[in-house]
Amino acid sequence: MNEVELQMPIQVGDYTDFWCSEHHALNGSKINRNMSVLPEPWYRLPGGYMGRASSIGIDQDVHRPLGQSQLQSGDPHVGPCQKFDFEVEFAWVIGKENKRGARIPLERAEDHLFGAVLMNDWSARDFAVYEVQTGGVTTCKNFATTISPWIVSIEALAPFKATLPLQQPEPVPHLSGPGSRSTYDVHIQAYVGKPSSNPAIATIAAVQTTETNLKHIYWTPAQMIAYFTISGANFRSGDIFGTGTVSGPDEKSLGCLLEKSWGGTREWEGPSGEKRTWLEDGDKVVISAYCEAGNLHIGFGRSTGTVLPALT
């Protein structure tokens, strides 16, 4: 068993990342824009962006990205990311395709799901603040996305289905109705550690940074599918779409360092007891999850990635 090498569970064709956690969105708005309310459209539709499928992998070594940020003077600066972050996410895998031009109604959306994986959508926060002013995100996201190495099927998740509260304001008809508030009770944890030189030891030390749950999302997988395809866009088998950072209402459930460090203004204790704000070279980020109900227990494997120095 020690010689088994895990491989990518699918060949990803297309990848879309949504923005489904109200807690994460509100925290980000407070940190980056000093605004304690979200724009009204956020509560009307599940927004997202098209990611780069070729950068998705398992157990990745991720070099600190190079890119462009903005100095306090306002001048542009090119160099290694100084605010490197992870994002605790959940990703859905499409099984059943739809033809281009044929939208998927909400009540049949989950029929198109094959299963789910864990996901870390690595983020260069200093690049993001600069890029978003152009209306999009590119180098702050395109270099790596790490998923767990096996897919938990939608049938295996069925006993752990959960219903979220009704949304206010009520969404438009194609995003509301029966099935619109269905998600799953998935416990998700994230850890940051330092790899050991001893192959028998996974890490020298590790600290838990996040303990959250998929029930904290505001937009459900059925709503994401219904919204994505209303334009006539088609899914193909093997496509994946992410939830965005899954953050909850309290400090322990914050799903990224942007929130945990409050934009770099609050220190947290690293794996060696040191005080820090962002990811450092040599850090290993591990995301794990499980579902539990009575005697039933399933795991998701782990999404793992190690931060390497920038390639200059």
Side-chain angles (χ1 to χ4, degrees):
M1 287 294 290
N2 292 335
E3 297 178 1
V4 173
E5 183 176 340
L6 296 174
Q7 303 291 331
M8 277 285 287
I10 50 173
Q11 182 174 344
V12 180
D14 282 306
Y15 155 49
T16 304
D17 203 20
F18 285 89
W19 201 20
C20 292
S21 165
E22 181 182 17
H23 300 291
H24 173 66
L26 275 170
N27 287 335
S29 181
K30 293 174 184 176
I31 294 166
N32 293 324
R33 291 179 288 278
N34 197 28
M35 294 176 61
S36 58
V37 295
L38 293 174
E40 193 267 348
W42 196 93
Y43 295 98
R44 298 294 186 180
L45 57 89
Y49 74 95
M50 301 299 294
R52 185 165 182 81
S54 63
S55 300
I56 298 174
I58 63 167
D59 197 18
Q60 291 179 311
D61 288 335
V62 182
H63 287 276
R64 182 178 297 272
L66 291 172
Q68 191 165 321
S69 58
Q70 189 173 30
L71 300 174
Q72 287 188 344
S73 64
D75 294 328
H77 171 74
V78 177
C81 171
Q82 299 300 307
K83 298 179 179 181
F84 200 24
D85 201 355
F86 62 85
E87 291 187 341
V88 175
E89 300 199 25
F90 203 75
W92 302 97
V93 181
I94 293 293
K96 183 180 177 181
E97 301 181 351
N98 65 303
K99 293 182 179 180
R100 188 167 61 87
R103 71 179 185 90
I104 301 173
L106 185 141
E107 61 270 17
R108 294 208 299 271
E110 290 199 10
D111 295 342
H112 291 259
L113 291 178
F114 177 74
V117 293
L118 301 174
M119 188 168 82
N120 176 2
D121 191 29
W122 303 85
S123 297
R125 300 296 185 189
D126 41 353
F127 302 170
V129 170
Y130 200 30
E131 286 185 336
V132 76
Q133 298 177 60
T134 69
V137 292
T138 310
T139 62
C140 64
K141 290 285 191 179
N142 66 359
F143 51 89
T145 302
T146 309
I147 64 172
S148 49
W150 66 76
I151 302 168
V152 176
S153 71
I154 201 71
E155 291 82 7
L157 287 172
F160 310 102
K161 207 159 197 178
T163 301
L164 299 180
L166 295 178
Q167 293 164 307
Q168 292 294 334
E170 184 180 0
V172 293
H174 80 278
L175 296 177
S176 57
S180 65
R181 306 308 296 144
S182 292
T183 186
Y184 296 85
D185 185 6
V186 183
H187 303 270
I188 311 172
Q189 304 84 36
Y191 302 84
V192 174
K194 292 287 187 182
S196 170
S197 58
N198 184 346
I201 303 174
T203 55
I204 295 174
V207 293
Q208 186 180 67
T209 60
T210 306
E211 184 176 346
T212 188
N213 194 292
L214 193 61
K215 292 191 296 183
H216 291 318
I217 61 175
Y218 184 87
W219 295 104
T220 65
Q223 289 175 315
M224 288 183 260
I225 291 174
Y227 178 72
F228 187 87
T229 62
I230 194 172
S231 65
N234 61 303
F235 280 120
R236 294 176 294 183
S237 297
D239 288 355
I240 69 172
F241 61 98
T243 57
T245 304
V246 181
S247 291
D250 52 36
E251 186 172 354
K252 72 176 184 179
S253 60
L254 301 177
C256 63
L257 298 183
L258 173 71
E259 296 172 86
K260 188 173 182 67
S261 73
W262 207 250
T265 64
R266 300 174 185 171
E267 293 182 325
W268 53 281
E269 188 171 295
S272 301
E274 76 284 5
K275 299 297 182 182
R276 54 148 84 193
T277 50
W278 306 100
L279 290 175
E280 299 179 354
D281 293 349
D283 282 348
K284 184 172 185 176
V285 179
V286 178
I287 302 174
S288 61
Y290 67 92
C291 297
E292 196 168 55
N295 294 325
L296 293 176
H297 183 103
I298 61 171
F300 283 80
R302 298 191 294 182
S303 164
T304 61
T306 303
V307 180
L308 301 183
L311 295 173
T312 56

